[in-house]
Amino acid sequence: MSPPLFLLLLLGLTGAQATTDLRMAAAMAAGLCKTRPTDLVFIIDSSRSVRPSEFEQVKVFLTKVIEGLDVGPNATRVGVVNYASRVKNEVSLKTHRTKTGLVKAVTKIEPLSTGTMTGLAIQFAQNVAFSEAEGARKSPDISKVAIIVTDGRPQDNVKDVAQRARDAGIEIFAIGVGRVEMNTLRQIASDPLDDHVDYVESYSVIEKLTKKFQEAFCGCSNAATDVVFLIDGSKSVRPENFELIKKWIFQIIEKLDVSERNVHVGLVQYSSTVKQEFPLGRYNNKKDLKEAVKRMEFMGKGTMTGQGLNHIRESSFTPANGARPGVPKVCIVFTDGRSQDYIGEAAKKAKESGFKMFAVGVGSAVEDELKQIASEPTADHYFYTADFKAIGQIAKKLHIPTCPEEDPCECDSLKKFQKKVEEALQALTKKLESMSKRIALLENKIV
């Protein structure tokens, strides 16, 4: 059966660049996206400032996000915590094993219509909603995610409570509505804040965030990737900027699906010599990875970038240091100055070995050297900024592919979506034919 005309046109007009977006859009539209296993808890504010009609809009938002998830006991489990002056566990992670039952439970939630004890709700989520007794899973491969929706000033402390929840490994997204205090959202949310804090003017437009959260949870079945950071620790970087580099690494780690089965991360620092901070696979969750990055001490000497690149090829990406056979290899090189040794041959050999190379430069970094390091197309793999304070923007732009490339015409989700569209078009065609006949009859009567 040939694909519907609009899909052929869309593929023809947008070309290869649209492949990933089209595949994801198709899967989501059909409710077929395979999401990585996650324990997800919504924490929703139903204080008296949230009118009943607005609370209904929050429930619609929850429902639409859930529709894009792969819900099941071995996939994504969903819980809902409702709060005002008190906290109510509306839906437990262990309760609903199907999407239909989950959506039905969400539609029955009623607002509590009292105060705004946001801190109490976050504490409840950590201690109760994310407990094994309520269905949370202990496996390091299972992410714990909380999405909090609030529209007012909390009547209790949120800063310390949210910090404890984040320290416990819970990734927190904060959505603010209307008159909410932005500072409160920033105190609640995980880093990087730009990815975890959202604001909408009113509940009537909260649905526009649906796609963001559907995409955040949409994964692939085989996302195994080995990623190694090669970080310049030369004296020109300076200690205060070295701390900014660590935060930059945190930003990138947050975007990766770190687990025993999927993304493994290693860290190498270079200066006049090269030091492996930790090998691939030693830390298989984001919390432990970040702690290990924090412990990295500034070397503060020369800039032997070529030596660092050779180390990546000869040591970091070998089985002896945790590299997995047959798994894609990605290296992210960060430097702030001209190399004191020759990098051309080392960079060439790294790329010939099949490594995907990203080159990030700051300040006095030489752009020609960055381009030599970067994989093709260079524009997608090399980044430069003059100011260390702007490296956070690079972290947002830098995209590490962790899903294998697929032919969109072979994608199961797209095939199923295509079938649904074709069936709908056939039904529509029949209706149009019927309407055309009726119009023809009316015209004959008029004549």
Side-chain angles (χ1 to χ4, degrees):
M1 188 179 288
S2 61
L5 180 61
F6 86 93
L7 275 179
L8 289 174
L9 288 171
L10 187 57
L11 281 169
L13 288 169
T14 56
Q17 186 67 34
T19 298
T20 302
D21 290 340
L22 179 60
R23 185 166 67 243
M24 183 175 286
M28 284 179 180
L32 299 164
C33 177
K34 182 172 178 60
T35 51
R36 58 184 182 271
T38 304
D39 287 343
L40 169 63
V41 173
F42 291 96
I43 306 171
I44 53 174
D45 175 356
S46 67
S47 55
R48 65 175 67 91
S49 60
V50 183
R51 292 191 285 269
S53 60
E54 294 172 333
F55 192 69
E56 290 303 310
Q57 289 166 335
V58 175
K59 292 196 290 185
V60 170
F61 166 68
L62 264 62
T63 299
K64 291 198 171 183
V65 174
I66 290 167
E67 287 292 349
L69 301 176
D70 182 19
V71 174
N74 298 315
T76 295
R77 298 182 185 182
V78 179
V80 182
V81 171
N82 184 11
Y83 80 95
S85 292
R86 62 187 179 91
V87 181
K88 186 178 179 185
N89 201 24
E90 298 281 3
V91 178
S92 169
L93 289 168
K94 67 182 179 183
T95 307
H96 296 285
R97 301 302 179 96
T98 66
K99 197 178 294 187
T100 305
L102 186 57
V103 168
K104 190 174 181 181
V106 168
T107 60
K108 291 180 179 178
I109 298 173
E110 296 291 332
L112 300 173
S113 300
T114 49
T116 314
M117 300 296 282
T118 308
L120 182 65
I122 296 171
Q123 186 174 339
F124 180 91
Q126 181 189 343
N127 296 341
V128 179
F130 281 110
S131 68
E132 286 185 75
E134 291 299 315
R137 291 163 285 186
K138 257 191 144 180
S139 169
D141 289 343
I142 308 296
S143 301
K144 288 181 171 53
V145 178
I147 300 175
I148 185 164
V149 182
T150 182
D151 82 331
R153 183 197 299 264
Q155 296 172 326
D156 58 355
N157 176 278
V158 298
K159 185 177 180 181
D160 296 336
V161 174
Q163 183 65 57
R164 286 195 293 273
R166 295 192 301 267
D167 289 344
I170 301 170
E171 182 179 7
I172 306 177
F173 291 87
I175 300 173
V177 184
R179 294 164 305 190
V180 70
E181 289 184 332
M182 291 305 295
N183 187 50
T184 297
L185 301 180
R186 288 190 284 267
Q187 288 178 348
I188 292 170
S190 296
D191 286 324
L193 294 177
D194 286 345
D195 294 338
H196 290 84
V197 174
D198 287 284
Y199 171 80
V200 290
E201 302 80 11
S202 68
Y203 282 102
S204 62
V205 291
I206 195 171
E207 283 182 53
K208 73 180 185 180
L209 297 176
T210 301
K211 186 182 176 186
K212 167 187 171 170
F213 286 101
Q214 286 179 331
E215 290 181 354
F217 296 113
C218 194
C220 52
S221 57
N222 178 22
T225 308
D226 288 342
V227 179
V228 174
F229 289 90
L230 177 61
I231 302 299
D232 180 353
S234 59
K235 60 179 174 285
S236 60
V237 171
R238 299 202 301 270
E240 62 272 23
N241 289 331
F242 197 67
E243 293 305 309
L244 292 176
I245 294 172
K246 291 181 186 180
K247 290 181 179 178
W248 177 79
I249 295 172
F250 294 166
Q251 277 187 268
I252 296 174
I253 287 172
E254 276 298 334
K255 298 198 292 183
L256 300 176
D257 185 13
V258 177
S259 68
E260 194 163 338
R261 285 185 304 174
N262 293 334
V263 178
H264 287 188
V265 177
L267 177 62
V268 174
Q269 182 185 177
Y270 74 93
S271 182
S272 296
T273 57
V274 180
K275 180 185 178 186
Q276 178 174 268
E277 298 290 346
F278 55 84
L280 288 161
R282 176 171 290 176
Y283 306 105
N284 289 322
N285 62 73
K286 293 177 183 179
K287 182 183 177 185
D288 290 345
L289 263 178
K290 288 180 180 179
E291 288 299 322
V293 172
K294 279 182 187 177
R295 292 193 294 269
M296 178 170 59
E297 294 183 359
F298 181 48
M299 294 172 78
K301 295 183 180 177
T303 313
M304 304 295 281
T305 310
Q307 194 175 327
L309 289 168
N310 281 328
H311 180 90
I312 292 296
R313 180 175 56 85
E314 296 168 1
S315 182
S316 297
F317 284 130
T318 63
N321 281 301
R324 294 167 289 178
V327 169
K329 309 288 188 290
V330 176
C331 178
I332 303 170
V333 182
F334 187 103
T335 183
D336 89 321
R338 182 184 295 275
S339 178
Q340 293 173 333
D341 61 353
Y342 179 60
I343 69 158
E345 192 65 22
K348 181 183 175 186
K349 286 182 177 178
K351 289 183 283 190
E352 286 176 347
S353 298
F355 309 153
K356 187 174 285 291
M357 304 293 293
F358 289 89
V360 179
V362 182
S364 301
V366 180
E367 293 194 53
D368 283 345
E369 289 187 353
L370 298 176
K371 289 175 182 177
Q372 275 186 284
I373 294 168
S375 292
E376 295 289 342
T378 309
D380 294 338
H381 295 87
Y382 120 87
F383 304 87
Y384 173 81
T385 181
D387 187 359
F388 269 93
K389 291 178 181 176
I391 61 176
Q393 297 302 313
I394 291 176
K396 290 182 195 175
K397 295 176 186 175
L398 197 154
H399 173 66
I400 300 173
T402 59
C403 290
E405 289 295 319
E406 295 180 41
D407 179 347
C409 296
E410 296 299 319
C411 176
D412 286 339
S413 293
L414 185 54
K415 281 183 175 180
K416 290 175 185 175
F417 173 63
Q418 177 180 307
K419 186 179 178 182
K420 285 193 175 188
V421 172
E422 286 173 343
E423 289 170 353
L425 286 173
Q426 287 171 1
L428 183 61
T429 301
K430 288 179 181 178
K431 286 183 180 179
L432 287 171
E433 287 173 353
S434 175
M435 288 176 67
S436 297
K437 288 177 182 177
R438 289 181 186 178
I439 291 169
L441 286 171
L442 286 171
E443 285 176 342
N444 290 335
K445 286 182 180 179
I446 292 169
V447 173

